[in-house]
C-alpha cells in the first residue's frame, strides 16, 4: 500500500527550484539526508519525475554495498545506461578514468540539461564518492543538477564522513528529511482506512514510529484485517509480514552493533513490561479490595456513630490510596516522578511537572543506557546518544518516568523477531548479569533470568532463590512460583532440588494452583534429603491434602514418614502433632488421632513432646474436662520449655487458640503474632492458617466488626478448594448480622450449599453463624435446625464445651421463642454446667443470661444480674450488651421499670459504641416498650476515654512508640493501635502530635 508524500513540500520546492536553475545553465549538488525509512528514495523518485516533466534528461544510479570492491562502479551504473558508451570502463589510472567519465558526463550535458539522481550515495565505492565530490565542484556552470540521497542516522558504530564533508557549504544544498509527525501519520492511516477510530489510528501511528517505510508496511499488513480489529501487539498476527521485514531491514542498515543494542533494549523492556502488567493486575485487585472495604465501612456508617464512621471511611480511603501507590515498582534503581498508568504508554508533551522531573528522567535514561551498554558490550555514551536519536525520530518515546521505550509493542516485537530463542536467552542472561554487577533490585535481576536458558551459573541460582524468598515474604506468591520454576531448570543436587520442590509446591498451592502443588510436594517427598527437610515436605503435603478434603490420606503420609524416623524422636513428635492438628478436619480421623495421642501421653509423656501436650490441653478444653485457669497454667509452662523449630509453631498456635477461649485476648494476640513471624514464607504449614483463624476469633471476641468487615475480601481468598465455607466466612456472616446488613449476610450464606460440604470444624462454625442469621430474619425454626445440627456435629467430634460454638444457648433461645421453655431450660442448664467447668466470664455469663430467661421469676432475675456482674470484667463487650438488655427486660417485666430502663439505656449506649446495629435496634425497641427513651451520652472529648485508652494515649503523648507501649503494658501492639484509633476518634484528632494538647484540656 503506497500513499502520497507527506510533509515533504520543502524538499519538493528546493528540487523544483534547482531543476529550473539547471535548465538555465547553472548546476548544483543537492544532498537529501535522512534516517532509514524516512522516504529519501521516494522524494528522489518524485524529483526525477518532475525533472522529466520539465524536459531534463534523468540519469539514475542506486548504490549498493555489493559494488564497493569495483572502483567507479556507481558512476558506471549512472553513465553506462547509454548504449553508445556501454564499453567505457575505468583504466588503471584512477585520475585518468575520472577524467574520461567527467568528459562523458559533459557530453550528456551538451545534448540537454541533466538531472543526475544517485540514491544511497553512502553505499557508493570510494572512487565514485570522490568523483561525485569533484563533479560537485565543477557543475556550477553546467546544466546539471546532481541529486544524491544519503543515510544520516546515529548508530552505535560511528559512520564514515558524509559526501559533503570536503565541500564548501556554498557548493551544496543540503536538506534533511524529518520523521513524520503524528498528524501526518494519522492522515496516512485515515487515507487507507477511512472508518478507523481515533484509538486505532493512534495505535498505528505509534507502531509506524514516524517512518513512512514502517507505516506503509504496517498498513499493507493490516489491509486484510481492517478496524475494528485491534492493531496487533505481536508480529505473528501480521500477514504477509511486510512490517517485520521492514524493521529487519531497518536494523540491518544500522549495522550489527546498533541491532544488538536495539534488541537488548527490546528484551529488557519486554521483561519489564511483563512485570509491570502482573503487578498492575495485583495492584488493581488490591485497590478493588480496598474499595470493597471502604464500601463495607460506608454501609456500616449508615447505622453507627458519625465520627466513628468517618474514621473508618478514612481508614478505607487510606488503604485504597496505599494500594494504588503500590502499583508498579520499576526494576531500575532510580526514582519515578509518578506511577506509570500503562505499560506501553508514552508521553508526548512536557508539562510543568514533567519539566521539573527532567533531571530524574535524564538520570533514568543514563542508568538504562549504562545497563544496555554493559549487557551488549557497547559504549555507554554511544548508547545514550542512540536513545536520544531514536527518541527524536519517534522509534522510542519516553514514558512518564522519562525512560525511552519502544513506541509500540508491535515495534518491540518486530525488533526482537530477528533473534533466535537462544540469542534472546543469552541477552536476558547478559542483562541480568549487568544488573547484578551494578546492584539493581533483586527482583529485576530475577525477572531477566526468567527469559534466560539454564547455564549452571551459581550466581543465577542464588538470585532466583533469594528473589523467590523475597517475593514470598512480600505476599507475591505468583512471582515466587515463577522464580522457583526457573531455578529448578538449573542443574541441582537432589537435596537442593528437594527443598526447592517443597517451596514451589507450597507456593503453588497457596496461589490457588492446587493441582500443580500437590504433585510437586509428592515428588519432593520421594527425593533423598535430610530427615528435617523430609518432615517439612511431609507437613506441607499433608496440609495441601487436607485443603482438598483428603484428611485420611494426609495423616497416612505423615505416619509413613514417622515410621522411618526411629532415630529422630524430635522429628517424629513434630509429625505426630501435625497429624493430630490436620485430623481436625474429619471427625473420624480426629477421634483416632487423639485417642492415639492420649494413650501415648499416658504411657510415655516424653514421646508426645510439648506441642503434643498442648494439643491435648486444647482437646480437654473443648471436651469440657478442664478449666481455663488450669489450661493456661499448663500451656504457659509448656511455652517455657525449649521447643524444636519444627514443633514450635504447633505449640504457639495451640496456646493462642486456648488463650482466646480463656479471654486472655492480649496474650492470644502476642502468641499469634509470634507464631506468624516464625512461619517460613515459602513453606506450607497447617498452623499458619490456624493462627490466622485465631486472629479472626480474637477480633470477633472483641466485637471488632469493622475489622472483620474490612477484611471481607481476604475471607474469600482464604476459602479452600471446593468452595467450602471457612472460619473467616462464619465471622464475616456474624459481623454482617450484627451491623444490620442482613441482606448482604443472606447473599453470603446462600453462596454455600452445605448439603454436600465435607465435614470440618469450620462447617460447624458456619452452621452456627447461619443459625444466628436465620434467627435475626425471623426464621426461628430454621435457626434451631442449624444450631442443633451444629451441636450434633460438635458432639460427634467430642467438642462439648461452649468455648467454640455456644450452640446450646442459641438453641435454648429458639426454644423459648417457639414456646418450649422446658427444653430451653434443659439446654441452658447443660450449657451453664459446662461453662462453669471452663469458668470464664464470657462463657459463664452467656449461659447465665439465657438460663435466667428460661428460669424466670426471682431466680431468673438473680441469674440475669449475675450474668451482668460477671461480664463487666470480661473483654466480651457484645455479651455484656446482650446481658444488659436481657436483664433490663426481665426487670421491666418484674415491675422494676426504672432499673430496667437504666440497664436498657446502658446496653443501647454500649451497642452504639460497639457498632452492633442488631443489639441497638433491640435495645431501642425494648426501651419504647418500657416507656423510656435513650439519653445522648458524650462520645467525644477526653472525658469519654476509657481507662485503657487514656493510659495508652498519655504514653503516646510522651513520645513512646506503639511497640514500647505494648512492652510496657504487656499487651499486643495491635491492642495499642486499636486503643489509639479509638482515642483519636473520641478526641477529634488525626495525628499523634495533637495528643498532648487535647489531653491537657
Amino acid at each position: 500500500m503506497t500513499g502520497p508524500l507527506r510533509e515533504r513540500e520543502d524538499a519538493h520546492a528546493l528540487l523544483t527550484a534547482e531543476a529550473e536553475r539547471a535548465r538555465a545553465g547553472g548546476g548544483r549538488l543537492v544532498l537529501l539526508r535522512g534516517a532509514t525509512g524516512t522516504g529519501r528514495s521516494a522524494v528522489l523518485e518524485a524529483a526525477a519525475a518532475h525533472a522529466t516533466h520539465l524536459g531534463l534528461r534523468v540519469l539514475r544510479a542506486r548504490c549498493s554495498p555489493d559494488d564497493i570492491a569495483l572502483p567507479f562502479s556507481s558512476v558506471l551504473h549512472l553513465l553506462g545506461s547509454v548504449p553508445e558508451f556501454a564499453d567505457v570502463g575505468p583504466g588503471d589510472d584512477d585520475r585518468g578514468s575520472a577524467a574520461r567519465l567527467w568528459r562523458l558526463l559533459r557530453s550528456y550535458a551538451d545534448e540537454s540539461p541533466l538531472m543526475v539522481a544517485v540514491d544511497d550515495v553512502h553505499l557508493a565505492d570510494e572512487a565514485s564518492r570522490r568523483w561525485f565530490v569533484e563533479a560537485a565542484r565543477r557543475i556550477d556552470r553546467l546544466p546539471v543538477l546532481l541529486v544524491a540521497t544519503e543515510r544520516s542516522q546515529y548508530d552505535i558504530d560511528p559512520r564514515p564522513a558524509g559526501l559533503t564533508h570536503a565541500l564548501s557549504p556554498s557548493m551544496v544544498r543540503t536538506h534533511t528529511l524529518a520523521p513524520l509527525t503524528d498528524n501526518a501519520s494519522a492522515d496516512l492511516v485515515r487515507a487507507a482506512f477511512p472508518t478507523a477510530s481515533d484509538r486505532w489510528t493512534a495505535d498505528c501511528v505509534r507502531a509506524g514510529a514516524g517512518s513512512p517505510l514502517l507505516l506503509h508496511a504496517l498498513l499493507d499488513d493490516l489491509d486484510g484485517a481492517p478496524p475494528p480489529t485491534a492493531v496487533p501487539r505481536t508480529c505473528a498476527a501480521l500477514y504477509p509480514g511486510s512490517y517485520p521485514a521492514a524493521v529487519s531491514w531497518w536494523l540491518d542498515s544500522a549495522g550489527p552493533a546498533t541491532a544488538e543494542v536495539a534488541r537488548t533494549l527490546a528484551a529488557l523492556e519486554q521483561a519489564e513490561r511483563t512485570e509491570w502488567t502482573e503487578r498492575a493486575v495485583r495492584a488493581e485487585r488490591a485497590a478493588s479490595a480496598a474499595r470493597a472495604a471502604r464500601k463495607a465501612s460506608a454501609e456500616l456508617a449508615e447505622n453507627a456513630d458519625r465520627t466513628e464512621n468517618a474514621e473508618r471511611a478514612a481508614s478505607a480511603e487510606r488503604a485504597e490510596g496505599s494500594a494504588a501507590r503500590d502499583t508498579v515498582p520499576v526494576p531500575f534503581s532510580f526514582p519515578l516522578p509518578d506511577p506509570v498508568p500503562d505499560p506501553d504508554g508514552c508521553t508526548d508533551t512536557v508539562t510543568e511537572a514533567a519539566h521539573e522531573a527532567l533531571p530524574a528522567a535524564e538520570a533514568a535514561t543514563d542508568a538504562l543506557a549504562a545497563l544496555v551498554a554493559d549487557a551488549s558490550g557497547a559504549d555507554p555514551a554511544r548508547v545514550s546518544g542512540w536513545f536520544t536519536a531514536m527518541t527524536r525520530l519517534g522509534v522510542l518515546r519516553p514514558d512518564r518516568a522519562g525512560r525511552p521505550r519502544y513506541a509500540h509493542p508491535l515495534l518491540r516485537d518486530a525488533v526482537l523477531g530477528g533473534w533466535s530463542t537462544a540469542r534472546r536467552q543469552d541477552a536476558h542472561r547478559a542483562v541480568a548479569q549487568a544488573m547484578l554487577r551494578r546492584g539493581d533490585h533483586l527482583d529485576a535481576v530475577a525477572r531477566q533470568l526468567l527469559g534466560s536458558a539454564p547455564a549452571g551459573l551459581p550466581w543465577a541460582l542464588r538470585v532466583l532463590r533469594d528473589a523467590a524468598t523475597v517475593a514470598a515474604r512480600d505476599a507475591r506468591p505468583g512471582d515466587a512460583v515463577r522464580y522457583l520454576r526457573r531455578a529448578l531448570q538449573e542443574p541441582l543436587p537432589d537435596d537442593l532440588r528437594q527443598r526447592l520442590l517443597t517451596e514451589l509446591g507450597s507456593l503453588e498451592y497457596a496461589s490457588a494452583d492446587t493441582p500443580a502443588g500437590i504433585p510437586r510436594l509428592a515428588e519432593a517427598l520421594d527425593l533423598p534429603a535430610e530427615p528435617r527437610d523430609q518432615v517439612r515436605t511431609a507437613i506441607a503435603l499433608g496440609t495441601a491434602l487436607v485443603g482438598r478434603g483428603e484428611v485420611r490420606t494426609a495423616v497416612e503420609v505423615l505416619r509413613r514418614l514417622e515410621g522411618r524416623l526411629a532415630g529422630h524422636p524430635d522429628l517424629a513428635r513434630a509429625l505426630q502433632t501435625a497429624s493430630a492438628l490436620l485430623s481436625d478436619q474429619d471427625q473420624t480421623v480426629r477421634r483416632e488421632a487423639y485417642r492415639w495421642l492420649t494413650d501415648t501421653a499416658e504411657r510415655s509423656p516424653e514421646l508426645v513432646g510439648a506441642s503434643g501436650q498442648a494439643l491435648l490441653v486444647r482437646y480437654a478444653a473443648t471436651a469440657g474436662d478442664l478449666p481455663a485457669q488450669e489450661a493456661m497454667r499448663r500451656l504457659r509452662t509448656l511455652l517455657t520449655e525449649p521447643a524444636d523449630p519444627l514443633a514450635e509453631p504447633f505449640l504457639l498456635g495451640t496456646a493462642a487458640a486456648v488463650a482466646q477461649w480463656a479471654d486472655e485476648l492480649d496474650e492470644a494476640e502476642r502468641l499469634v503474632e509470634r507464631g506468624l513471624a516464625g512461619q517460613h514464607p515459602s513453606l506450607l504449614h497447617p498452623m499458619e492458617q490456624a493462627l490466622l483463624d485465631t486472629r479472626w476469633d480474637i477480633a470477633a471476641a472483641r466485637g471488632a466488626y469493622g475489622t472483620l468487615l474490612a477484611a471481607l475480601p481476604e475471607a474469600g481468598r482464604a476459602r479452600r478448594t471446593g468452595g467450602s465455607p471457612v472460619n473467616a466466612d462464619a465471622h464475616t456472616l456474624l459481623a454482617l448480622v450484627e451491623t444490620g446488613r442482613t441482606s448482604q449476610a443472606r447473599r453470603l450464606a446462600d453462596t454455600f450449599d452445605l448439603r454436600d460440604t465435607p465435614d470440618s470444624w469450620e462447617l460447624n462454625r458456619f452452621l452456627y453463624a447461619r443459625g444466628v442469621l436465620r434467627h435475626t430474619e425471623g426464621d426461628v425454626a430454621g435457626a434451631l435446625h442449624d444450631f442443633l445440627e451444629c451441636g450434633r456435629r460438635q458432639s460427634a467430634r467430642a467438642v462439648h464445651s461452649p468455648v467454640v460454638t455456644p450452640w446450646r444457648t442459641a438453641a435454648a433461645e429458639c426454644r423459648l421463642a417457639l414456646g418450649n421453655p422446658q427444653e430451653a431450660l434443659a439446654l441452658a442448664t447443660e450449657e451453664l454446667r459446662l461453662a462453669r467447668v471452663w469458668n470464664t466470664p464470657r462463657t459463664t455469663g452467656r449461659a447465665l443470661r439465657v438460663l435466667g430467661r428460661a428460669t424466670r421469676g426471682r431466680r431468673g432475675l438473680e441469674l440475669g444480674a449475675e450474668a451482668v456482674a460477671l461480664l463487666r470484667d470480661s473483654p466480651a463487650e457484645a455479651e455484656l450488651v446482650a446481658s444488659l438488655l436481657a436483664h433490663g427486660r426481665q426487670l421491666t417485666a418484674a415491675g422494676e421499670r426504672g432499673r430496667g430502663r437504666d440497664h436498657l439505656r446502658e446496653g443501647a449506649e454500649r451497642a452504639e459504641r460497639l457498632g452492633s446495629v442488631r443489639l441497638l435496634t433491640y435495645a431501642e425497641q425494648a426501651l419504647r416498650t418500657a416507656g423510656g427513651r435513650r439519653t445522648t451520652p458524650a462520645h467525644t472529648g477526653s472525658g469519654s476515654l476509657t481507662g485503657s485508652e487514656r493510659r495508652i494515649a498519655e504514653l503516646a503523648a510522651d513520645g513512646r512508640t506503639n511497640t514500647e507501649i505494648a512492652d510496657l503494658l504487656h499487651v499486643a501492639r495491635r491492642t495499642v493501635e486499636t486503643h489509639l484509633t479509638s482515642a483519636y476518634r473520641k478526641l477529634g484528632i488525626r495525628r499523634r502530635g495533637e495528643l498532648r494538647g487535647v489531653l491537657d484540656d
Side-chain angles (χ1 to χ4, degrees):
M1 182 181 295
T2 59
L5 297 179
R6 303 278 177 170
E7 297 183 327
R8 300 296 181 251
E9 293 82 3
D10 291 347
H12 182 70
L14 170 63
L15 291 168
T16 299
E18 292 301 326
E20 292 289 354
R21 186 173 184 272
R23 288 180 64 193
R28 187 165 359 232
L29 168 63
V30 176
L31 184 65
L32 297 176
R33 306 174 76 239
T36 301
T38 49
R40 301 186 312 270
S41 298
V43 173
L44 184 63
E45 287 299 318
H50 185 69
T52 301
H53 177 71
L54 293 177
L56 276 69
R57 187 174 184 178
V58 177
L59 304 178
R60 292 182 176 88
R62 175 162 294 170
C63 303
S64 168
D66 296 335
D67 299 330
I68 290 178
L70 180 63
F72 295 106
S73 60
S74 297
V75 180
L76 287 174
H77 285 309
L78 184 73
L79 301 178
S81 58
V82 181
E84 56 265 37
F85 296 108
D87 60 343
V88 175
D92 296 333
D93 180 12
D94 281 353
R95 291 181 62 84
S97 299
R100 282 193 294 159
L101 290 171
W102 171 250
R103 289 194 298 270
L104 184 60
L105 177 65
R106 290 203 53 167
S107 68
Y108 279 113
D110 288 342
E111 295 178 3
S112 68
L114 295 177
M115 175 183 174
V116 178
V118 183
D119 201 8
D120 292 338
V121 72
H122 54 283
L123 299 177
D125 60 277
E126 189 59 34
S128 295
R129 286 171 60 84
R130 289 195 302 269
W131 189 89
F132 291 137
V133 171
E134 188 61 29
R137 292 193 177 102
R138 302 166 64 181
I139 62 173
D140 57 329
R141 296 187 180 181
L142 293 178
V144 178
L145 172 60
L146 174 57
V147 183
T149 68
E150 184 177 62
R151 181 181 181 275
S152 60
Q153 184 171 310
Y154 191 98
D155 296 319
I156 299 301
D157 285 339
R159 292 286 181 174
L163 179 68
T164 60
H165 176 70
L167 289 176
S168 168
S170 62
M171 295 180 181
V172 61
R173 296 291 301 276
T174 302
H175 182 84
T176 301
L177 300 178
L180 293 179
T181 64
D182 285 355
N183 288 336
S185 297
D187 289 342
L188 285 171
V189 175
R190 293 191 183 97
F193 299 100
T195 62
S197 67
D198 290 344
R199 181 166 184 173
W200 195 90
T201 299
D203 248 5
C204 288
V205 169
R206 287 188 180 278
S211 167
L213 170 73
L214 298 184
L215 184 57
H216 285 302
L218 176 63
L219 297 178
D220 280 340
D221 284 342
L222 295 178
D223 194 28
T229 305
V231 176
R233 302 175 81 82
T234 64
C235 294
L238 296 178
Y239 181 83
S242 301
Y243 182 82
V247 172
S248 179
W249 182 78
W250 173 77
L251 286 173
D252 289 343
S253 301
T258 299
E260 183 81 7
V261 166
R263 286 170 175 145
T264 300
L265 175 64
L268 179 65
E269 184 182 313
Q270 187 179 55
E272 175 193 348
R273 180 183 178 276
T274 301
E275 178 181 12
W276 196 102
T277 302
E278 292 163 354
R279 297 197 177 185
V281 169
R282 285 195 300 272
E284 178 58 31
R285 289 174 180 167
S288 298
R291 286 193 293 270
R294 183 175 62 176
K295 182 179 179 182
S297 295
E299 291 179 5
L300 180 59
E302 294 176 3
N303 302 299
D305 179 73
R306 289 188 177 183
T307 308
E308 181 177 3
N309 297 332
E311 176 65 24
R312 289 176 180 170
S315 298
E317 186 81 32
R318 289 192 293 272
E320 182 176 359
S322 173
R325 286 191 299 272
D326 193 32
T327 7
V328 189
V330 179
F332 301 117
S333 305
F334 42 75
L336 294 178
D338 54 23
V340 184
D342 180 355
D344 295 311
C346 302
T347 179
D348 298 312
T349 59
V350 180
T351 62
E352 182 178 351
H355 181 75
E356 294 175 356
L358 284 178
E362 291 174 359
T365 302
D366 290 343
L368 180 57
L371 175 61
V372 171
D374 192 358
S376 61
D379 179 357
R382 298 294 298 181
V383 174
S384 183
W386 187 80
F387 284 174
T388 302
M390 293 303 102
T391 302
R392 173 68 182 84
L393 290 176
V395 173
L396 303 178
R397 298 198 182 199
D399 64 12
R400 296 193 180 183
R403 296 170 303 147
R405 53 193 304 136
Y406 283 97
H408 194 274
L410 184 63
L411 177 57
R412 179 182 62 234
D413 188 66
V415 169
L416 276 175
W419 262 358
S420 65
T421 299
R423 189 63 193 87
R424 291 192 195 193
Q425 291 174 337
D426 289 344
H428 282 295
R429 188 188 69 250
V431 169
Q433 197 161 7
M435 284 182 164
L436 187 65
R437 279 196 295 266
R438 73 176 200 166
D440 272 9
H441 194 281
L442 194 67
D443 216 37
V445 182
R447 183 72 56 176
Q448 291 297 325
L449 286 172
L450 292 178
S452 67
L457 299 172
W459 67 266
L461 180 60
R462 184 180 68 252
V463 166
L464 289 165
R465 292 186 65 192
D466 291 347
T469 300
V470 171
R473 185 190 62 207
D474 294 344
R476 293 184 287 114
D479 286 342
V481 164
R482 281 185 286 275
Y483 297 149
L484 286 174
R485 285 174 179 170
R486 171 63 183 80
L488 283 165
Q489 295 174 9
E490 296 287 330
L492 302 169
D494 282 345
D495 57 343
L496 180 54
R497 181 172 295 277
Q498 193 270 352
R499 290 197 295 272
L500 293 184
L501 279 171
T502 301
E503 293 182 21
L504 177 57
S506 297
L507 289 166
E508 284 176 330
Y509 180 88
S511 58
D513 193 2
T514 308
I518 291 178
R520 301 267 193 199
L521 293 168
E523 180 185 355
L525 194 58
D526 289 338
L527 288 175
E530 292 292 325
R532 185 170 294 274
D533 290 331
Q534 289 183 317
V535 170
R536 289 192 180 98
T537 303
I539 291 174
L541 177 57
T543 305
L545 289 169
V546 168
R548 287 182 54 177
E550 301 177 27
V551 180
R552 186 170 293 280
T553 302
V555 172
E556 289 174 356
V557 165
L558 297 180
R559 286 179 179 169
R560 278 201 302 270
L561 179 59
E562 181 188 339
R564 304 200 301 265
L565 296 175
H568 303 275
D570 290 345
L571 300 180
R573 285 195 291 267
L575 287 174
Q576 294 163 8
T577 306
S579 298
L581 183 67
L582 292 172
S583 71
D584 278 344
Q585 298 296 336
D586 184 284
Q587 59 182 350
T588 303
V589 181
R590 183 177 189 269
R591 281 197 301 270
E592 296 172 1
Y594 278 95
R595 185 184 304 118
W596 180 91
L597 195 63
T598 302
D599 292 345
T600 303
E602 290 175 354
R603 294 193 310 271
S604 306
E606 71 281 356
L607 297 180
V608 175
S611 57
Q613 292 177 40
L615 281 178
L616 289 175
V617 170
R618 191 190 70 163
Y619 184 81
T622 57
D625 298 334
L626 194 66
Q629 187 174 0
E630 175 61 18
M632 290 306 300
R633 185 192 67 77
R634 293 186 188 179
L635 287 171
R636 285 168 181 150
T637 301
L638 293 173
L639 286 167
T640 61
E641 297 179 5
D644 185 271
L646 280 175
E648 187 178 34
F650 297 105
L651 177 58
L652 292 173
T654 304
V658 176
Q660 185 273 132
W661 296 336
D663 290 345
E664 300 288 350
L665 301 187
D666 288 343
E667 185 172 356
E669 277 186 326
R670 288 196 299 272
L671 290 168
V672 166
E673 298 308 320
R674 180 180 163 191
L676 290 174
Q679 289 290 310
H680 193 294
S682 301
L683 289 178
L684 198 60
H685 197 286
M687 193 48 73
E688 180 178 10
Q689 187 57 51
L691 289 162
L692 294 173
D693 283 329
T694 302
R695 181 185 279 174
W696 282 84
D697 296 344
I698 294 169
R702 295 190 189 279
Y705 306 124
T707 300
L708 295 170
L709 294 178
L712 184 56
E714 181 181 339
R717 288 194 297 274
R719 196 164 298 132
R720 291 196 308 273
T721 303
S724 303
V726 297
N727 188 44
D729 293 313
H731 283 306
T732 301
L733 186 60
L734 289 171
L736 290 170
V737 172
E738 289 299 328
T739 53
R741 297 156 62 187
T742 53
S743 58
Q744 190 172 350
R746 171 48 55 193
R747 288 195 296 273
L748 175 59
D750 291 344
T751 302
F752 306 99
D753 184 357
L754 303 187
R755 291 172 297 181
D756 298 324
T757 301
D759 175 65
S760 72
W761 66 269
E762 291 171 299
L763 171 61
N764 301 342
R765 284 266 180 104
F766 195 79
L767 279 169
Y768 176 82
R770 193 177 71 173
V772 173
L773 170 62
R774 284 179 164 179
H775 193 279
T776 304
E777 292 174 326
D779 181 11
V780 180
L784 178 61
H785 174 272
D786 279 347
F787 293 139
L788 293 178
E789 179 63 15
C790 171
R792 183 188 69 78
R793 289 171 175 270
Q794 291 288 68
S795 299
R797 299 168 63 85
V799 177
H800 305 297
S801 175
V803 296
V804 182
T805 47
W807 62 271
R808 293 182 187 82
T809 50
E813 290 184 311
C814 290
R815 293 291 191 191
L816 286 173
L818 293 172
N820 299 317
Q822 291 304 316
E823 294 179 14
L825 186 63
L827 285 167
T829 301
E830 176 63 9
E831 180 93 329
L832 180 60
R833 183 188 70 80
L834 291 167
R836 289 200 185 280
V837 172
W838 184 243
N839 199 27
T840 60
R842 186 176 10 154
T843 53
T844 306
R846 182 196 303 119
L848 286 168
R849 179 189 80 235
V850 178
L851 183 60
R853 288 189 58 207
T855 303
R856 302 180 183 179
R858 179 56 54 186
R859 178 57 183 161
L861 281 173
E862 292 173 354
L863 292 171
E866 185 181 354
V868 171
L870 191 62
L871 285 166
R872 288 192 184 279
D873 296 328
S874 166
E877 183 75 3
E879 293 295 344
L880 173 58
V881 172
S883 294
L884 283 167
L885 299 181
H887 191 48
R889 295 197 68 169
Q890 285 178 304
L891 291 169
T892 302
E896 300 184 45
R897 301 175 69 85
R899 288 183 60 204
R901 286 194 292 267
D902 288 343
H903 278 71
L904 293 174
R905 287 194 187 98
E906 183 184 355
E909 292 166 7
R910 288 179 177 272
E912 184 179 37
R913 288 199 297 270
L914 191 63
S916 176
V917 176
R918 182 182 71 86
L919 291 174
L920 178 60
T921 303
Y922 180 84
E924 290 175 338
Q925 291 173 347
L927 272 170
R928 285 194 296 271
T929 302
R933 61 176 183 171
R934 292 178 58 200
T935 56
T936 303
H939 292 312
T940 60
S942 60
S944 66
L945 297 180
T946 65
S948 296
E949 289 169 349
R950 173 171 285 279
R951 183 166 59 254
I952 290 173
E954 288 176 345
L955 289 170
D958 290 338
R960 296 183 183 271
T961 66
N962 291 358
T963 302
E964 290 172 342
I965 296 172
D967 293 341
L968 188 65
L969 300 180
H970 303 290
V971 298
R973 178 174 173 171
R974 186 182 296 271
T975 302
V976 175
E977 293 168 351
T978 300
H979 284 313
L980 277 177
T981 299
S982 178
Y984 286 177
R985 173 179 54 81
K986 292 179 179 179
L987 296 172
I989 62 174
R990 302 182 70 85
R991 290 186 295 274
R992 206 181 193 93
E994 300 176 63
L995 275 171
R996 177 52 61 198
V998 293
L999 288 175
D1000 291 341
D1001 293 342

